[in-house]
């Protein structure tokens, strides 16, 4: 177990949610569905002085946030070249501002009692000699060291790079509180490789997972991303995903992530995903 992880019910169904709406309303909606824990995404423009409201709403609802996710102003997931240009720690022009923001998100997580932070750091170059690789590696070390002061883990969202590249990056950073938020759909959406095989390679470095589904990019459209789908309707193979998680000894939460922009559709799909995971866990 990585430093900073806490023990909870094994494979507990959870939800990836976003700050922005009223916290009490957000938790009321989820607790109605039987969900008691989740990951909280923080949009890049959110004023972080709202931490006390979130802390109080969490206590009142008996809800637990186990990861606070940092997103950044100016990011776009339109297609792969745009992701490369705009997402995470990779773009040099926003690197300093995003480092400050990530440390502030760590403070927010500490204020609400969350044991971990996470983010998409973006496309890490494969060559360890690349100046962007070196700058981002050093930045990840500083974020890990800052998070460690609050006994937090720092998880990198998967998707853009093959598992072996990600694993050698983690080893190169060399911090005990660094791990992975494994998203099987991203590996398919970006055409990176078979997620179940990747999960076997990343194994004990997985801190948390997203239960998300999707289809591969259409052939003949270079740079296009695949399409996100409701859980169970895409190409991940959710039963084999759960079987592999059990095989590698993962016992953390199963965090349903649905990115559909229509909020009604999103909640309907989340409810269906909760049922699907309950059925699969019953086996
Ligand atoms: Mg994800």
């Amino acid at each position: 177990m990585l430093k900073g992880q806490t023990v909870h019910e094994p494979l507990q169904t959870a939800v990836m949610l976003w700050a922005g709406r009223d916290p009490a309303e957000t938790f009321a909606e989820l607790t109605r569905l039987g969900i008691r824990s989740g990951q909280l995404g923080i949009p890049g423009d959110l004023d972080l002085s709202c931490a006390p409201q979130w802390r109080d709403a969490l206590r009142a609802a008996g809800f637990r946030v186990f990861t606070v996710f940092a997103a950044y102003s100016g990011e776009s997931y339109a297609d792969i070249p745009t992701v490369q240009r705009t997402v995470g720690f990779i773009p040099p022009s926003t690197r300093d501002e995003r480092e400050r923001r990530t440390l502030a998100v760590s403070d927010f997580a500490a204020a609400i009692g969350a044991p971990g932070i996470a983010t998409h750091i973006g496309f890490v170059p494969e060559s360890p000699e690349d100046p962007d690789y070196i700058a981002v590696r050093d930045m990840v070390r500083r974020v890990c060291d800052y998070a460690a002061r609050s006994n937090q883990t720092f998880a990198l969202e998967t998707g853009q790079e093959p598992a072996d590249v990600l694993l050698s990056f983690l080893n190169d950073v060399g911090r005990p509180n660094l791990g992975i938020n494994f998203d099987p759909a991203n590996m398919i959406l970006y055409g990176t490789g078979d997620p179940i095989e990747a999960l076997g390679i990343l194994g004990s470095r997985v801190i948390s997972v997203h239960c998300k589904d999707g289809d591969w990019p259409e052939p003949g459209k270079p740079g296009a991303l695949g399409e996100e789908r409701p859980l169970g309707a895409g190409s991940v193979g959710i039963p084999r995903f759960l079987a592999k998680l059990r095989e590698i000894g993962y016992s953390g939460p199963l965090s349903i992530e649905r990115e559909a922009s229509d909020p009604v559709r999103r909640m309907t799909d989340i409810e269906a995903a909760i049922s699907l995971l309950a059925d699969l866990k019953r086996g």
Side-chain angles (χ1 to χ4, degrees):
M1 181 170 286
L2 285 162
K3 195 175 162 229
Q5 272 183 294
T6 48
V7 178
H8 39 68
E9 178 197 323
L11 302 180
Q12 183 178 49
T13 301
V15 167
M16 171 76 203
L17 57 131
W18 284 88
R21 290 174 54 207
D22 174 64
E25 265 176 43
T26 305
F27 296 135
E29 189 172 49
L30 291 170
T31 48
R32 255 200 311 276
L33 301 176
I35 298 298
R36 311 302 308 211
S37 67
Q39 297 175 294
L40 181 63
I42 304 289
D45 58 357
L46 187 82
D47 178 353
L48 297 178
S49 66
C50 64
Q53 283 105 287
W54 281 91
R55 183 198 56 214
D56 294 347
L58 280 165
R59 279 191 193 146
F63 198 93
R64 176 175 170 267
V65 166
F66 52 89
T67 318
V68 178
F69 252 90
Y72 307 101
S73 298
E75 290 184 315
S76 166
Y77 289 84
D79 54 28
I80 290 174
T82 310
V83 173
Q84 283 171 325
R85 209 177 55 248
T86 67
V87 168
F89 293 0
I90 302 297
S93 62
T94 48
R95 211 173 269 152
D96 288 349
E97 133 201 349
R98 289 182 181 181
E99 180 168 347
R100 287 193 297 277
R101 178 70 177 179
T102 312
L103 303 188
V105 167
S106 168
D107 292 341
F108 179 96
I112 68 163
I117 57 168
T119 196
H120 263 185
I121 60 168
F123 277 86
V124 178
E126 292 204 13
S127 165
E129 314 297 322
D130 188 307
D132 287 329
Y133 176 102
I134 293 166
V136 170
R137 181 200 59 198
D138 293 349
M139 183 166 160
V140 172
R141 285 178 177 161
R142 291 191 296 275
V143 172
C144 285
D145 294 344
Y146 190 87
R149 293 198 222 162
S150 302
N151 205 26
Q152 293 163 349
T153 52
F154 180 37
L156 310 183
E157 171 91 349
T158 53
Q160 301 94 334
E161 47 283 300
D164 53 343
V165 173
L166 191 56
L167 190 59
S168 62
F169 180 76
L170 290 183
N171 290 335
D172 192 11
V173 173
R175 291 296 187 270
N177 61 335
L178 181 66
I180 285 169
N181 183 79
F182 188 85
D183 186 324
N186 284 352
M187 306 218 51
I188 289 176
L189 298 177
Y190 287 86
T192 313
D194 178 51
I196 309 305
E197 207 177 295
L199 191 51
I201 295 169
L202 297 168
S204 64
R205 310 303 291 268
V206 175
I207 293 178
S208 49
V209 301
H210 280 165
C211 289
K212 189 172 90 185
D213 216 337
D215 286 329
W216 296 91
E218 274 182 55
K221 282 193 178 172
L225 285 159
E227 194 183 341
E228 195 218 350
R229 307 268 287 140
L231 199 70
S235 304
V236 169
I238 302 303
R240 71 182 188 129
F241 178 51
L242 253 66
K244 190 71 183 180
L245 284 171
R246 288 192 165 114
E247 189 189 309
I248 66 165
Y250 177 81
S251 62
L254 303 174
S255 193
I256 296 166
E257 181 176 38
R258 182 67 171 121
E259 293 171 349
S261 53
D262 172 4
V264 177
R265 176 71 205 271
R266 185 172 172 270
M267 281 317 291
T268 309
D269 289 346
I270 287 173
E271 275 193 76
I274 293 168
S275 303
L276 174 67
L277 291 178
D279 288 348
L280 291 172
K281 281 192 274 183
R282 271 194 296 272

